[in-house]
Amino acid sequence: LVVSMGLVSAFLFALLAAIGRRSGGSPEHIDTKVMGFVAEQRLKAVEAFELLYGDGSGADGEAPPKMDAFIEKYLTEALFREAKAMRKAKGYDKEEEEAKHVGRLDRESLSKVEKKDAPATMEGEIERLVVQKRQKRAVQERVREGKTVEVLDVDVKPEDRSLTSWRLGCAESLYHEHVYDSIPGCSPGPPSGPPCGRFVIDGVAAESEQKAMVAAIDEAFVELFHQGAETLLVPDAAVRARMGEEGYRLTEALLERVRSAVAAAANVSTDALFYSGSLLKRMDWPPLKDEWQLDERHDSFNAHVDKANIASYDWSALLYLNSVGEEFGGGELLFHDSDADRSVRPIGGRVVAFSSGLENLHRVMPMQWGRRYVLSMWFTCSARHRHENLIVGSSRPQEEL
């Protein structure tokens, strides 16, 4: 068995057994237990391979890896995690040289991209890779030249509060097995949630509030790094001084106002909707060329699915703080549907909200000129996955889900 496992996993197998012996028990019993663990992980590796490559290709259409090589990587990762968990459980605080050596090996973890609220188990990691593959496939199928572009717009004055909605069929659910399952009355879609959809809510922020937010963002963004067109800041308590008290309090008020508006539009109880993330974003075109620019060629306009990248996102919302055609050109929000692309114009004071799943593959259209300001936010239906450090605290904790 050890010979067939490969050098790294054989080393980890020996490490597991050594840790077990240090805690007592006969060597025969411990070796049998470890061998049982290895056999179980081999079966799980085969199941994972089928989930990821059962259709005969990888996420980008490439040929799948050899099954034996995949199983070896899976087994190595599983053994490494188990050894680490056993060390922690036994109270071995000092890292041994063997463990350090394994940490330096090219383990090529099955989870290359770490994301907030990501599953901690191996099965959860596989589910995440399957979700990432689904997102890439959706992009490949729906983002193409020559599609009809329809404008989702409403004929209202920007200062008037109004709601326009579009109901959608929900795509297959994401992350329901290893993060949290559908939460009745809140998670979009079957079996017992509100319909998936898109909403345009005008008049959420007054013109004076928009101008105050733009000024606060510009002040807060001084000496912040940017990538391509984007400069970003998470509006949490840690940046209160940077934002200034007025900007801090206004951001807090707007976040809560949008949460209430999204809950009403989606027919969800406000108390059931929790903050999962938020960003202040400014897009400059052409991109800034200064000492704070990290990568002028960074692409800020890729199509994506919010929940595919952050598992806790159930509902997404954007509050625009200035208007296309006045302060900037381009930068429309574009939804990539199977039959057509559908765009929404960024108008100051307007909120665009939507269910965060595969049914709402979207991107920002390339900027043409000027500065575009937006307050982005994402909401979760799981109290356990709420963001504790955002500057708002009015989402009351419910029973942990």
Side-chain angles (χ1 to χ4, degrees), residues 168-193:
L168 302 175
C170 296
E172 57 187 315
S173 61
L174 304 175
Y175 292 113
H176 63 280
E177 292 186 13
H178 298 286
V179 180
Y180 56 88
D181 206 345
S182 177
I183 296 174
C186 182
S187 297
S192 57

Side-chain angles (χ1 to χ4, degrees), residues 147-158:
K147 290 177 68 179
T148 300
V149 178
E150 300 177 3
V151 178
L152 299 179
D153 218 339
V154 288
D155 185 19
V156 297
K157 296 179 180 179

Side-chain angles (χ1 to χ4, degrees), residues 158-161 201-218 243 246-258 280 319-323 327 347-351 373-375:
E159 63 271 16
D160 293 340
R161 177 67 72 93
I201 313 167
D202 282 300
V204 175
E207 184 176 357
S208 59
E209 292 175 318
Q210 298 166 41
K211 291 180 178 179
M213 281 298 298
V214 166
I217 290 172
D218 284 339
M243 294 182 66
E246 182 179 348
Y248 179 89
R249 291 300 181 190
L250 180 55
T251 303
E252 179 181 40
L254 291 175
L255 283 169
E256 181 58 16
R257 195 181 305 168
V258 172
L280 293 165
L319 170 60
Y320 295 109
L321 301 171
N322 61 343
S323 299
E327 290 87 10
I347 302 295
R350 167 175 287 179
V351 167
Y373 296 83
V374 66
L375 173 58

Side-chain angles (χ1 to χ4, degrees), residues 6-254:
L7 180 60
V8 175
S9 52
F11 183 87
L12 285 165
F13 178 92
L15 178 60
L16 268 176
I19 293 173
R21 291 189 187 100
R22 285 179 62 178
S23 62
S26 69
E28 294 79 10
H29 172 75
I30 293 168
D31 288 347
T32 299
K33 188 174 181 180
V34 174
M35 289 175 68
F37 174 82
V38 170
E40 179 185 9
Q41 295 305 312
R42 281 187 176 280
L43 291 175
K44 289 183 177 181
V46 173
E47 293 174 0
F49 186 88
E50 289 300 318
L51 283 172
L52 286 168
Y53 305 110
D55 60 358
S57 64
D60 297 313
E62 76 280 9
K66 298 292 185 182
M67 181 181 283
D68 288 347
F70 177 87
I71 291 174
E72 174 68 15
K73 287 182 180 180
Y74 188 103
L75 188 57
T76 299
E77 183 75 14
L79 284 163
F80 180 84
R81 289 172 179 232
E82 186 67 11
K84 186 175 180 180
M86 288 177 65
R87 284 181 53 82
K88 183 176 181 181
K90 301 299 181 183
Y92 303 147
D93 295 326
K94 185 178 179 180
E95 291 291 334
E96 298 176 354
E97 284 302 314
E98 295 91 342
K100 289 182 180 179
H101 178 67
V102 172
R104 290 195 296 266
L105 290 174
D106 181 15
R107 298 190 291 114
E108 200 168 331
S109 171
L110 293 171
S111 56
K112 292 181 179 179
V113 182
E114 290 300 325
K115 295 290 184 180
K116 175 178 171 285
D117 300 331
T121 65
M122 288 291 289
E123 293 88 347
E125 298 285 6
I126 294 301
E127 184 180 37
R128 183 172 64 174
L129 290 178
V130 170
V131 167
Q132 293 295 317
K133 183 175 181 177
R134 290 174 181 167
Q135 176 179 226
K136 287 187 177 182
R137 289 293 172 84
V139 171
Q140 293 166 2
E141 293 169 0
R142 293 191 235 164
V143 180
R144 58 184 187 273
E145 298 292 335
K147 290 177 68 179
T148 300
V149 178
E150 300 177 3
V151 178
L152 299 179
D153 218 339
V154 288
D155 185 19
V156 297
K157 296 179 180 179
E159 63 271 16
D160 293 340
R161 177 67 72 93
S162 66
L163 166 65
T164 306
S165 61
W166 295 265
R167 179 176 292 194
L168 302 175
C170 296
E172 57 187 315
S173 61
L174 304 175
Y175 292 113
H176 63 280
E177 292 186 13
H178 298 286
V179 180
Y180 56 88
D181 206 345
S182 177
I183 296 174
C186 182
S187 297
S192 57
C196 295
R198 297 165 190 158
F199 313 98
V200 172
I201 313 167
D202 282 300
V204 175
E207 184 176 357
S208 59
E209 292 175 318
Q210 298 166 41
K211 291 180 178 179
M213 281 298 298
V214 166
I217 290 172
D218 284 339
E219 180 66 24
F221 281 13
V222 172
E223 297 185 350
L224 281 188
F225 289 109
H226 7 274
Q227 281 192 300
E230 291 183 328
T231 310
L232 307 171
L233 183 66
V234 176
D236 60 19
V239 300
R240 184 170 187 161
R242 176 178 280 274
M243 294 182 66
E245 191 63 23
E246 182 179 348
Y248 179 89
R249 291 300 181 190
L250 180 55
T251 303
E252 179 181 40
L254 291 175

